[in-house]
């Protein structure tokens, strides 16, 4: 009898230990995981939205629409869902694909009127016995310029309830914002490439001819000097016309400027004086490619070349905490500030176009408060200043 009691107690002890272990594991899992139903639902919505956002941020194509539409259907909670532009259905996910022509036609109407549409069963006739489609909600995706690039069509297995209508409208608004961001990114990239091409085109006619003329003048009188100038010219053009990288470092930009000034000194001789004040700690600072060289070229071309006698170009780069402050100053002829503006700097032969270009690129990368500051007056020279953050998440030199 005593042995039986001992066996029972042993079994009870084992069961108690197992129960305690199970409780401990459950508590640990609850502590590490998402505790409440509300938190789990929030996580699932955010996770699904992030999965849909990734392809949409690449632009609207059939491939990206096919990747995004299945996640959008989960967000909306529809039986089926399609994404259509004004020409065709880009992608469809879920049930009701046999209604694709009707749904695409409704999407095109919504894109034309830029208004959402609710379709009932009478507007979606079907002879199939197993058809579950009883209605649909069509919502245009708002575009940045007011036009709708595409429409979201959510299929319902009953008369579309208010919850589905609201979810479709909100999903369309959210998807439209993702496409707008994608277009903005693409526009910035195109603008940056176009602006660099514009600067290169500016360098070509105004500098290359004069550089070659200066080099030719030394071919007979000083062949060694001509050889050195040719090498400097080759390095300058190689840097200016390089095909890789939207950004560079201050050190690389200053090297190119040194080559430029070496060639310009061959033209102007002792008339061109240069003063440099560069803090060593700011040399690695990243900045847009070819944003400093046009300022120096502008100082030489539109300042000193029109001034009789000796002219001075000063280039300064100072350490200012989280920023690098750069100034390019000349004591040339200057100009009337009332006729000079970064917004409309169209002068003779495209005068000062380089300043406009640099100002726009600085603002697009670092923000509007990082544009150029130009100080000038007739007979008082010109001073151009810029502030460049030492570290910026978008700048990789």
């Amino acid at each position: 009898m005593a042995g039986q009691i001992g066996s029972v107690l042993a079994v009870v002890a084992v069961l108690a230990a197992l129960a305690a272990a199970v409780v401990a594991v459950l508590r640990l899992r609850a502590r590490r995981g998402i505790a409440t139903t509300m938190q789990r639902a929030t996580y699932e919505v955010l996770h699904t939205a992030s999965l849909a956002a990734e392809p949409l941020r690449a632009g609207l194509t059939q491939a990206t629409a096919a990747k995004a539409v299945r996640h959008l259907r989960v967000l909306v909670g529809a039986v089926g869902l399609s994404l259509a532009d004004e020409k065709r259905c880009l992608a469809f996910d879920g049930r009701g694909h046999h209604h694709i022509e009707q749904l695409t036609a409704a999407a095109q109407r919504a894109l034309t009127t830029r208004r959402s549409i609710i379709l009932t069963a009478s507007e979606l006739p079907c002879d199939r016995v197993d058809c579950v489609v009883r209605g649909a909600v069509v919502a245009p995706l708002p575009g940045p310029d007011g036009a709708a690039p595409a429409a979201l069509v959510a299929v319902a297995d009953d008369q579309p309830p208010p919850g589905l209508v609201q979810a479709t409208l909100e999903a369309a608004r959210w998807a439209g914002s993702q496409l707008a961001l994608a277009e903005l990114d693409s526009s910035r990239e195109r603008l940056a490439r176009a602006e660099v091409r514009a600067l290169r085109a500016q360098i070509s006619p105004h500098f290359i001819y004069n550089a070659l003329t200066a080099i030719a003048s030394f071919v007979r009188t000083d062949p060694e000097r001509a050889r050195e100038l040719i090498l400097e010219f080759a390095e300058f053009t190689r840097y200016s016309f390089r095909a890789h990288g939207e950004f560079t470092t201050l050190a690389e930009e200053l090297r190119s400027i040194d080559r430029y000034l070496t060639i310009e000194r061959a033209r102007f001789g002792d008339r061109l004086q240069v003063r440099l004040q560069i803090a060593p700690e700011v040399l690695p600072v990243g900045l847009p490619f070819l944003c400093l060289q046009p300022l120096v070229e502008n100082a030489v071309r539109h300042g000193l070349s029109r001034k009789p006698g000796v002219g001075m170009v000063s280039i300064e780069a100072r350490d200012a905490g989280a920023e690098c402050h750069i100034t390019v100053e000349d004591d040339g002829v200057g100009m009337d500030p009332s006729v000079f503006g970064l917004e409309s700097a169209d002068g003779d032969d495209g005068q000062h176009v380089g300043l406009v270009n640099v100002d726009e690129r600085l603002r697009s990368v670092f923000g509007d408060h990082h544009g150029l500051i130009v100080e000038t007056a007739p007979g008082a020279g010109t001073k151009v200043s810029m502030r460049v953050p030492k570290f910026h998440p978008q700048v990789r030199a």
Side-chain angles (χ1 to χ4, degrees):
M1 184 68 178
Q4 292 179 347
I5 294 175
S7 299
V8 172
L9 291 176
V11 172
V12 171
V14 171
L15 292 176
L18 289 174
V22 171
V23 170
V25 170
L26 292 176
R27 286 179 178 176
L28 183 60
R29 292 183 61 184
R31 187 179 304 167
R32 290 180 178 177
I34 300 174
T36 66
T37 303
M38 180 70 72
Q39 289 174 333
R40 283 195 295 271
T42 301
Y43 166 78
E44 290 173 359
V45 170
L46 293 175
H47 180 64
T48 305
S50 68
L51 293 176
E54 185 175 353
L56 291 176
R57 288 296 298 271
L60 188 60
T61 63
Q62 286 185 300
T64 58
K67 293 178 181 178
V69 73
R70 61 178 181 268
H71 303 299
L72 291 173
R73 185 174 71 85
V74 175
L75 283 177
V76 173
V79 173
L81 189 133
S82 73
L83 193 57
D85 61 14
E86 58 184 7
K87 296 180 179 179
R88 63 193 185 283
C89 173
L90 297 173
F92 190 96
D93 184 74
R95 304 177 66 180
H97 188 274
H98 55 285
H99 283 274
I100 192 68
E101 292 185 3
Q102 298 168 330
L103 299 175
T104 303
Q108 292 168 348
R109 292 201 308 273
L111 291 175
T112 301
T113 61
R114 300 182 188 178
R115 299 176 64 88
S116 58
I117 299 174
I118 298 178
L119 302 175
T120 61
S122 61
E123 297 171 280
L124 297 169
C126 183
D127 297 331
R128 292 180 54 167
V129 178
D130 60 342
C131 179
V132 299
V133 178
R134 297 294 181 270
V137 182
V138 186
L141 275 59
D145 55 354
L152 206 62
V153 184
V155 178
D157 56 1
D158 200 350
Q159 177 69 24
L164 180 64
V165 174
Q166 189 62 33
T168 306
L169 295 176
E170 293 298 329
R173 186 178 296 112
W174 176 83
S177 67
Q178 299 303 310
L179 293 177
L181 291 173
E183 179 61 28
L184 179 61
D185 292 340
S186 178
S187 298
R188 284 178 175 174
E189 292 176 1
R190 291 195 301 268
L191 178 61
R193 290 194 296 268
E195 288 172 339
V196 171
R197 286 196 297 268
L199 281 180
R200 288 168 174 165
Q202 181 192 13
I203 291 170
S204 178
H206 293 293
F207 173 70
I208 293 179
Y209 174 79
N210 290 330
L212 294 176
T213 302
I215 293 171
S217 67
F218 289 101
V219 169
R220 291 187 178 180
T221 60
D222 193 344
E224 186 61 26
R225 178 81 183 279
R227 178 180 177 278
E228 293 174 357
L229 290 174
I230 289 174
L231 294 176
E232 295 288 353
F233 177 74
E235 289 297 321
F236 173 81
T237 53
R238 184 173 69 173
Y239 174 80
S240 299
F241 293 95
R242 72 178 189 177
H244 61 281
E246 182 182 347
F247 302 101
T248 187
T249 63
L250 178 60
E252 290 180 344
E253 195 82 350
L254 288 173
R255 268 191 221 101
S256 178
I257 289 170
D258 181 63
R259 297 183 183 106
Y260 168 80
L261 291 173
T262 298
I263 298 171
E264 290 292 56
R265 286 195 199 95
R267 289 180 55 209
F268 291 104
D270 293 337
R271 284 185 57 205
L272 175 57
Q273 302 293 317
V274 179
R275 183 175 64 90
L276 293 174
Q277 285 186 305
I278 310 297
E281 55 268 27
V282 299
L283 289 175
V285 170
L287 67 169
F289 176 63
L290 282 184
C291 80
L292 188 55
Q293 189 273 337
L295 308 186
V296 178
E297 182 180 355
N298 184 78
V300 175
R301 283 180 54 202
H302 304 302
L304 303 182
S305 64
R306 302 179 183 181
K307 174 186 176 181
V310 178
M312 173 72 73
V313 173
S314 301
I315 304 172
E316 181 180 359
R318 295 184 293 106
D319 184 4
E323 295 180 335
C324 170
H325 291 181
I326 303 172
T327 60
V328 177
E329 185 174 5
D330 68 75
D331 59 356
V333 297
M335 70 179 302
D336 186 352
S338 63
V339 298
F340 176 78
L342 292 174
E343 297 83 2
S344 57
D346 298 326
D348 298 335
D349 63 18
Q351 181 175 353
H352 299 296
V353 67
L355 297 186
V356 180
N357 190 303
V358 172
D359 179 74
E360 291 176 348
R361 288 197 293 146
L362 288 173
R363 293 176 187 273
S364 67
V365 174
F366 301 123
D368 285 337
H369 54 292
H370 282 282
L372 292 181
I373 299 175
V374 181
E375 303 171 64
T376 185
T382 302
K383 180 179 179 181
V384 183
S385 306
M386 68 171 75
R387 295 163 40 237
V388 179
K390 285 184 179 178
F391 305 101
H392 194 276
Q394 296 181 4
V395 177
R396 294 289 184 272

